[in-house]
Amino acid sequence: MFIDQFKNIFHKQKSLRNRFLILNAIIFLATILPSLILFNQFSDKVFVEFGIRFANKQALYDRERNLLPLTRELALARRLAGSDQIVTWLGNENDPKLKEDAILTLENYADSFQGKSYFIASSSTGNYFFNDNRGTYTGKELRYVLNPEDPHDDWFFATLESNSPYHLNVEYDDKLDVTKVWINVLVTDDKNRKLGLTGTGIDVTDFIRNYLDVAQPGVINVLLDRNGAIQLHKNRELIDMASITKLPSEMKSIYTIIDSNKDKKKLKNTLSNLERNPDSVETLFVHLNGKRTLVGASYISELDWYSLTFIDIEEVLNGIPFYSIFILFGVALLVLMLLLSVVLHRSIIARVIKLDSLVLQMKDGEYKPAVNHGPTDEIGRLLENFNNMAYQVHMHTEELEALVEERTEALHRLTITDHLTKLLNRRGFIDCWERKLNLANREKKILGILIIDIDYFKKFNDVYGHDCGDQTLIDVAATIKNSVRSYDDCARWGGEEFVVLIYSTTDEELENIAENIRQRVKKTKIFIDGHELQLTISLGGYLCKNTQSLDEAITKADNALYSAKESGRDCYKAYTELKA
């Protein structure tokens, strides 16, 4: 019937032009309709293949982007938990000096954390210490005492009971009024006893803005724990707070937003496979809100979390002039296929392959940026984002390495230096003694020890106050340091006592150095309320002619100091004089 109607219309046309137009239209339709069917079938496969490749690379990209800030914080937190100052203090919380050293260590680490904050909680007392990036609680770091009966504190006791050395927990702390991604690291002593938890927190809003809420249409990144509870999502209402304290049925799970039970089962199986193969990425289709969505999934073994990237393929490909190629089907299907191949290769496949190689390079530690001269579409923006991320990762890595080296050196100096006089402390002097003694034994040299005590310092301190006493210690320490040779070592031994290690000396030289120190200290001017005060010191010396322990040398020099005090102070006595 259609053919008959066509014949009637065709033969009624008196103009050949109209007949050719009708014939051309019929030929065009006869060609374009099958081509359209073939094209739709082909394009659907291309879209799916591209979507899967894109999902794989986007999942790797999202995993590395999310992994970097969290693993950096975790690495610093674990180093903090293993520091001697923290372990020693939690083993003896009542010691004020240990607490002072521990708080100083926490503040130093806080400068390196992204959120510039720290916390530490004791398993023996339940004391919870915290300070934020503004130093709000400086001097009053003890915020509250954890209570096993308080549901808000369940995270602490649940983490202690777990077998994991660390745990990440997204939670709102109602006592501090902050919501953070908390990095909780277990503190243990050398007997593997659980002393408490320490770590830091990254503000949830900042993390979502910087790492999840990216300008990539059609792409949503979600982080889950091993139970499927949503830990981080650009929609904060979907985040499951304090997952560690909940039963699986109480959690805000990823499975609650997936439409069908079949898709839920597929996702569970996928996550199980990823845990067995942590370096792999798997893709699958699920239905969200009635829409078929591609999911790229990966496992972050360092955090025991999963990273899911939900991709709306239609939205991701929106704006790419893909269907304009269909016009070429009206000219020739073969030309269309050739052009389609070229366009696909240049605009999509080649760039995805390039991005693939760059992601793999980045995984291996090479942060080489991509050269992007293509259009500013979704893939172009992805390459641009990759460039920015590669540069930031490279810069952050260099900064982190430099900062860790600087902090390590600073922490080492703190452990061997007296904070008031800036001389060596007792620990630093002991280390120095061992080095100099070994050197002296090799070079056949003799060491000398001087013990110095400020005369009547307690009375001086009581009368004029501790501030004046501290300044006196600083002035005496500087005078002692300036009175000895550059290769001699000075230390504050304790209270108002100082000790000097003289390398390669004799009895006469030791006495000359002692007298030089005594006279220079005596000439030191100290003014209190407009009055000049006289300051003197007593010195005891010992020449270590044979290899012996530091305790023995200190004891003999101390005996000589006692003799100097017995002789009226403001003088030097040598141990050899006591034997004469």
Side-chain angles (χ1 to χ4, degrees), residues 426 429-430 433-434 437 449 451 493 542 544 547-559 575:
R426 186 181 290 255
F429 185 79
I430 292 173
W433 163 267
E434 293 175 353
L437 182 61
I449 290 283
I451 296 290
W493 195 246
Y542 174 65
C544 310
T547 302
Q548 54 196 270
S549 68
L550 176 61
D551 290 341
E552 182 180 353
I554 290 292
T555 299
K556 291 182 178 180
D558 201 49
N559 290 337
Y575 181 77

Side-chain angles (χ1 to χ4, degrees), residues 254-349:
I254 190 66
Y255 305 111
T256 62
I257 63 175
I258 296 178
D259 294 348
S260 70
N261 292 328
K262 182 180 178 181
D263 288 346
K264 295 176 184 179
K265 186 176 180 179
K266 283 197 304 183
L267 181 57
K268 287 182 180 179
N269 292 336
T270 298
L271 298 184
S272 298
N273 293 336
L274 287 171
E275 189 170 351
R276 291 189 293 268
N277 302 283
D279 293 331
S280 64
V281 174
E282 294 196 14
T283 56
L284 69 156
F285 282 95
V286 299
H287 288 81
L288 297 180
N289 299 321
K291 192 169 186 179
R292 188 167 178 250
T293 304
L294 182 61
V295 181
S298 62
Y299 177 59
I300 307 176
S301 57
E302 295 87 344
L303 308 177
D304 197 21
W305 278 7
Y306 297 96
S307 176
L308 299 187
T309 302
F310 292 86
I311 300 174
D312 186 335
I313 297 179
E314 294 180 4
E315 188 173 356
V316 169
L317 294 177
N318 183 34
I320 298 179
F322 194 83
Y323 281 97
S324 63
I325 303 173
F326 180 73
I327 300 174
L328 298 178
F329 276 93
V331 179
L333 184 60
L334 178 60
V335 175
L336 173 64
M337 298 301 298
L338 291 175
L339 290 178
L340 176 61
S341 176
V342 172
V343 171
L344 281 175
H345 182 76
R346 291 185 177 180
S347 65
I348 298 177
I349 297 175

Side-chain angles (χ1 to χ4, degrees), residues 2 6 20-38 326 329-331:
F2 174 77
F6 168 71
F20 275 113
L21 287 175
I22 294 173
L23 183 60
N24 287 338
I26 297 299
I27 294 173
F28 177 79
L29 291 176
T31 304
I32 204 69
L33 290 177
S35 300
L36 178 60
I37 295 173
L38 293 174
F326 180 73
F329 276 93
V331 179

Side-chain angles (χ1 to χ4, degrees), residues 40 93 97 117 129 170 211 229 288 298 383 389 407 417 455 477:
N40 285 336
E93 279 189 71
K97 182 62 172 64
S117 66
F129 300 81
V170 182
Y211 301 103
L288 297 180
S298 62
L383 285 169
M389 187 194 71
R407 293 302 182 192
T417 304
D455 295 333

Side-chain angles (χ1 to χ4, degrees), residues 423-446:
L423 299 180
L424 293 173
N425 58 20
R426 186 181 290 255
R427 175 179 175 179
F429 185 79
I430 292 173
D431 293 342
C432 178
W433 163 267
E434 293 175 353
R435 293 195 304 270
K436 287 294 180 69
L437 182 61
N438 291 333
L439 180 63
N441 290 335
R442 290 196 302 269
E443 297 183 352
K444 308 300 182 184
K445 301 294 184 180
I446 297 176

